[in-house]
């Protein structure tokens, strides 16, 4: 029996209350398929599409559109024409601000995308872009609806085109709450942030069976495209959670840092943390000896409002930290070397991670604070053959292209090309600061002396003693904390305890910054 046959419809309004008819049809759309389908969803540890939307949005704020939409395909088992066509679309609010959302309903056709399903998403994306509000997708779908053929593929093309048009205009967040395979995986990859839940979400282009058939490799769903794999190895997932509730709560928290669109500043959050608070603990947190590791997260926590920050890509490329935080209530983006991992060197993954974050912050009017403690780029044949030149250039390009307020601070050391790339004054930082422990140089004193004084050291009666003397000379004359300041490459050398107050005063001054950009269609960033 179909849904239509259960509705007491009549063309004669005298015999039937049309309001009751509307109510019945909407109840069918909201209830979804039979209870057994819902139980199967729960058995997988997953919520329904509407339950997910309820967790994401403020209570009673959701307005649904096209709930009564149905597909028009025929044959191949598509005689069943359920309302919503497997995707719930609409808008609501998060902390009172408008957010657009679509959620795949896996209970209907496995959440697979067909023509009507895609057109609903297209309409919602167009509305989000027109209204200037964030778009959140709750993904739980089996890919393209095979029975609808090329129309399903065209539907994905329309999504990709809109993802690209919205990039840098409105925040786009993809929440993975089920499978996402094949071409469907490219839609999340085009958005600003991807969140995944362990055990229920997987992303891959080709599934385990195809991988085994083609390469002979045996791999599980989780091993191929699970949340931890994408958080630690591929870098596809920015955040990973153990359950849907905590994941969706994190989406709400993430949205609190972001503006509605690129024509406004991020929201300001009231804080009781004084803007002029001194941070004497910083002196002890950062060892003066450049080879002693420490956790840069503790530095960020000491500087940020109330010690709070949201780290992005926490488990990928650990030698660099990117995080959203607040300073005097205003959103900022931190980019910082992590001496606890690979000595804070820049490598291929770290360069890509930081470049992507810098671009996101710039597009969403989020000022950038860069904390430097970098000995250089990671050496090695693997890095060179892997393209460290072009990957490192991505970070350089992102900083040079950014027009938001940019402040860099050298905490300890900044050597070679890595110093330049990490938002030095020469590539356009608005303010370049340093602690009195800073060393800015082409390379460390040992390496520099071996190059510059090679002949003298080789010719000396006591090469070791001569090397030690020349290393000390090079360090005293070219690597002292004030060398860069004397040449105008550092705007000020500051007491570490004053770091927070100096940053907040500087950001306040730069808040109205306006930068003219060259007239061009777009740049051609390194790939």
């Amino acid at each position: 029996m179909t849904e239509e046959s259960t509705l007491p419809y009549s063309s004669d309004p005298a015999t039937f209350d049309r309001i009751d008819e509307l109510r019945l049809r909407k109840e069918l759309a909201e209830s979804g398929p039979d209870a057994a389908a819902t139980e199967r969803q729960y058995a997988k540890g997953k919520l329904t599409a509407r339950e997910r939307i309820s967790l994401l949005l403020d209570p009673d704020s959701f307005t649904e559109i096209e709930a009564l939409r149905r597909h028009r395909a025929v044959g191949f088992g598509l005689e069943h024409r359920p309302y919503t066509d497997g995707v719930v679309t609409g808008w609501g609010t998060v902390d009172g601000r408008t957010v657009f959302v679509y959620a795949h309903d896996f209970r209907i056709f496995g959440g697979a995308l067909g023509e009507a399903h895609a057109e609903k998403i297209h309409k919602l994306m167009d509305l989000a872009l027109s209204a200037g509000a964030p778009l959140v997708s709750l993904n739980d779908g089996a890919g393209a609806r095979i029975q609808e053929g090329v129309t399903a593929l065209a539907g994905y093309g329309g999504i990709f085109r809109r993802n690209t048009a919205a990039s840098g205009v409105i925040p786009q967040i993809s929440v993975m709450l089920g499978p996402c395979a094949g071409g469907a995986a490219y839609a999340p990859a085009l958005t600003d942030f991807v969140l995944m839940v362990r055990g229920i979400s997987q992303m891959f282009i080709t599934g385990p069976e195809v991988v085994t058939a083609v390469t002979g490799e045996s791999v599980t769903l989780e091993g191929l495209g699970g949340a931890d794999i994408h958080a630690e190895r591929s870098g596809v997932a920015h955040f990973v959670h153990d359950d849907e509730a905590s994941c969706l709560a994190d989406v709400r928290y993430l949205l609190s840092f972001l503006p509605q669109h690129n024509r406004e500043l991020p929201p300001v959050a009231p804080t009781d943390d004084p803007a002029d608070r001194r941070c004497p603990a910083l002196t002890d947190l950062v060892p003066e000896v450049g080879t002693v590791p420490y956790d840069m997260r503790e530095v960020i926590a000491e500087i940020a409002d109330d010690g709070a920050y949201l780290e992005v890509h926490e488990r990928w490329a650990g030698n660099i930290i990117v995080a959203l935080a607040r300073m005097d209530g205003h959103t900022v983006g931190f980019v910082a070397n992590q001496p606890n991992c690979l000595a804070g060197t820049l490598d291929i993954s770290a360069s890509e991670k930081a470049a992507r974050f810098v671009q996101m912050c710039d597009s969403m009017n989020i000022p950038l604070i860069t904390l430097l403690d970098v000995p250089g780029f990671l050496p090695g044949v693997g890095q060179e053959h892997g393209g460290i030149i072009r990957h490192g250039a991505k970070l350089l390009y992102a900083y040079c292209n950014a027009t938001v307020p940019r402040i860099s601070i050298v905490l300890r050391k900044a050597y070679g090309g890595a110093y330049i790339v990490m938002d030095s004054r020469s590539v356009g930082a608005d303010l370049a600061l340093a602690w009195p422990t800073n060393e800015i140089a082409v390379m460390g004193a040992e390496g520099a002396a071996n190059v510059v004084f090679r002949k003298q050291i080789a010719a000396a009666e006591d090469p070791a003693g001569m090397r030690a003397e020349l290393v000390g000379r090079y360090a005293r004359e070219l690597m002292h904390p004030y060398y860069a300041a004397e040449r105008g490459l550092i705007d000020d050398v500051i007491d570490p305890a004053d770091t927070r107050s100096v940053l907040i005063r500087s950001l306040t001054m730069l808040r109205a910054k306006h930068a003219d950009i060259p007239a061009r269609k777009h740049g051609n960033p390194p790939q």
Side-chain angles (χ1 to χ4, degrees):
M1 181 178 291
T2 65
E3 291 95 337
E4 298 98 307
S5 62
T6 66
L7 292 170
Y9 175 79
S10 170
S11 59
D12 183 1
T15 63
F16 186 73
D17 188 330
R18 295 300 176 88
I19 300 301
D20 285 342
E21 178 194 356
L22 172 63
R23 177 180 55 79
L24 287 169
R25 289 180 182 271
K26 290 206 168 182
E27 285 178 358
L28 280 173
E30 291 178 9
S31 63
D34 56 52
T38 301
E39 288 304 316
R40 288 193 295 272
Q41 185 82 345
Y42 290 156
K44 297 174 183 176
K46 301 196 295 185
L47 301 175
T48 66
R50 295 180 188 278
E51 288 170 340
R52 290 163 172 169
I53 290 173
S54 295
L55 284 175
L56 172 66
L57 300 178
D58 297 335
D60 301 319
S61 69
F62 183 55
T63 298
E64 187 173 358
I65 58 172
E66 294 207 353
L68 301 180
R69 186 71 179 264
R70 298 189 298 182
H71 73 77
R72 56 185 179 181
V74 294
F76 302 104
L78 291 182
E79 292 76 15
H80 181 51
R81 300 174 64 231
Y83 288 122
T84 74
D85 200 45
V87 63
V88 181
T89 57
W91 72 87
T93 60
V94 172
D95 295 329
R97 299 193 301 157
T98 299
V99 172
F100 288 81
V101 59
Y102 69 84
H104 298 131
D105 191 340
F106 195 84
R107 301 172 302 166
I108 297 175
F109 301 132
L113 181 139
E115 179 188 34
H117 183 122
E119 288 178 351
K120 288 181 65 174
I121 295 174
H122 295 169
K123 179 179 289 186
L124 188 83
M125 296 178 79
D126 290 341
L127 281 173
L129 195 56
S130 296
L135 174 70
V136 178
S137 63
L138 307 182
N139 298 270
D140 186 8
R145 196 174 298 171
I146 298 171
Q147 300 94 323
E148 295 196 34
V150 70
T151 56
L153 297 178
Y156 275 122
I159 293 174
F160 302 156
R161 178 165 56 86
R162 289 168 172 82
N163 283 139
T164 304
S167 180
V169 181
I170 58 173
Q172 298 182 85
I173 300 174
S174 298
V175 188
M176 314 312 296
L177 302 171
C180 185
Y186 286 115
L190 288 168
T191 61
D192 299 305
F193 299 98
V194 176
L195 296 88
M196 297 186 72
V197 177
R198 290 185 183 90
I200 66 169
S201 60
Q202 303 90 30
M203 298 175 67
F204 41 74
I205 299 300
T206 53
E209 296 85 358
V210 176
V211 169
T212 301
V214 173
T215 69
E217 299 171 288
S218 178
V219 66
T220 64
L221 284 171
E222 285 295 311
L224 181 63
D228 289 317
I229 289 296
H230 285 310
E232 296 174 5
R233 301 188 64 178
S234 72
V236 170
H238 297 80
F239 305 96
V240 172
H241 295 271
D242 291 321
D243 57 78
E244 295 190 32
S246 62
C247 179
L248 293 169
D250 227 18
V251 176
R252 291 177 59 90
Y253 184 48
L254 174 59
L255 285 167
S256 73
F257 288 100
L258 305 176
Q260 291 292 90
H261 50 77
N262 67 345
R263 299 180 303 281
E264 70 175 29
L265 296 175
V268 180
T271 179
D272 294 325
D273 196 348
D276 59 355
R277 170 172 59 82
R278 285 177 57 79
C279 306
L282 291 176
T283 304
D284 296 324
L285 285 176
V286 180
E288 186 172 343
V289 178
T291 56
V292 178
Y294 62 94
D295 191 348
M296 186 67 83
R297 293 185 180 92
E298 295 181 7
V299 175
I300 295 173
E302 185 67 22
I303 296 171
D305 287 355
D306 305 307
Y309 62 91
L310 178 62
E311 187 169 352
V312 181
H313 266 146
E314 178 180 358
R315 296 168 60 192
W316 181 55
N319 42 326
I320 200 160
I321 297 171
V322 296
L324 294 168
R326 292 187 176 89
M327 300 285 285
D328 197 27
H330 296 268
T331 299
V332 296
F334 279 100
V335 180
N337 305 111
Q338 173 58 297
N340 259 356
C341 181
L342 297 176
T345 53
L346 288 177
D347 62 0
I348 289 171
S349 295
S351 299
E352 288 192 340
K353 171 179 170 178
R356 175 74 169 170
F357 183 76
V358 168
Q359 289 173 166
M360 185 281 298
C361 287
D362 186 48
S363 69
M364 290 294 123
N365 303 317
I366 297 172
L368 288 160
I369 297 173
T370 304
L371 305 179
L372 286 85
D373 192 345
V374 58
F377 282 92
L378 182 67
V381 174
Q383 289 290 307
E384 297 295 344
H385 289 184
I388 186 61
I389 294 173
R390 61 186 175 86
H391 290 289
K394 293 178 183 178
L395 180 54
L396 181 60
Y397 188 97
Y399 269 126
C400 290
N401 212 37
T403 60
V404 292
R406 292 156 49 190
I407 304 173
S408 65
I409 306 181
V410 179
L411 275 58
R412 204 165 56 168
K413 59 186 177 298
Y415 295 158
Y419 155 66
I420 301 172
V421 167
M422 290 287 291
D423 206 20
S424 63
R425 183 66 182 273
S426 59
V427 299
D430 296 296
L431 289 172
L433 309 172
W435 287 2
T437 50
N438 83 85
E439 292 180 356
I440 303 175
V442 175
M443 61 180 69
E446 287 277 352
N450 287 337
V451 173
V452 176
F453 306 115
R454 182 178 66 254
K455 292 182 179 179
Q456 294 96 312
I457 293 172
E461 293 184 5
D462 179 12
M466 177 63 72
R467 179 183 290 107
E469 178 185 338
L470 294 174
V471 165
R473 175 184 163 192
Y474 183 89
R476 287 192 304 272
E477 295 184 12
L478 296 180
M479 295 182 64
H480 63 78
Y482 306 101
Y483 186 86
E486 291 169 1
R487 286 153 181 79
L489 297 175
I490 292 293
D491 292 294
D492 197 10
V493 179
I494 64 173
D495 182 341
D498 293 331
T499 301
R500 173 177 164 84
S501 60
V502 170
L503 283 173
I504 289 175
R505 288 198 303 270
S506 300
L507 289 168
T508 301
M509 177 273 293
L510 289 167
R511 194 156 294 136
K513 174 187 175 183
H514 173 76
D516 292 320
I517 57 177
R520 60 183 178 185
K521 188 174 182 180
H522 57 74
N524 185 25
Q527 296 298 322

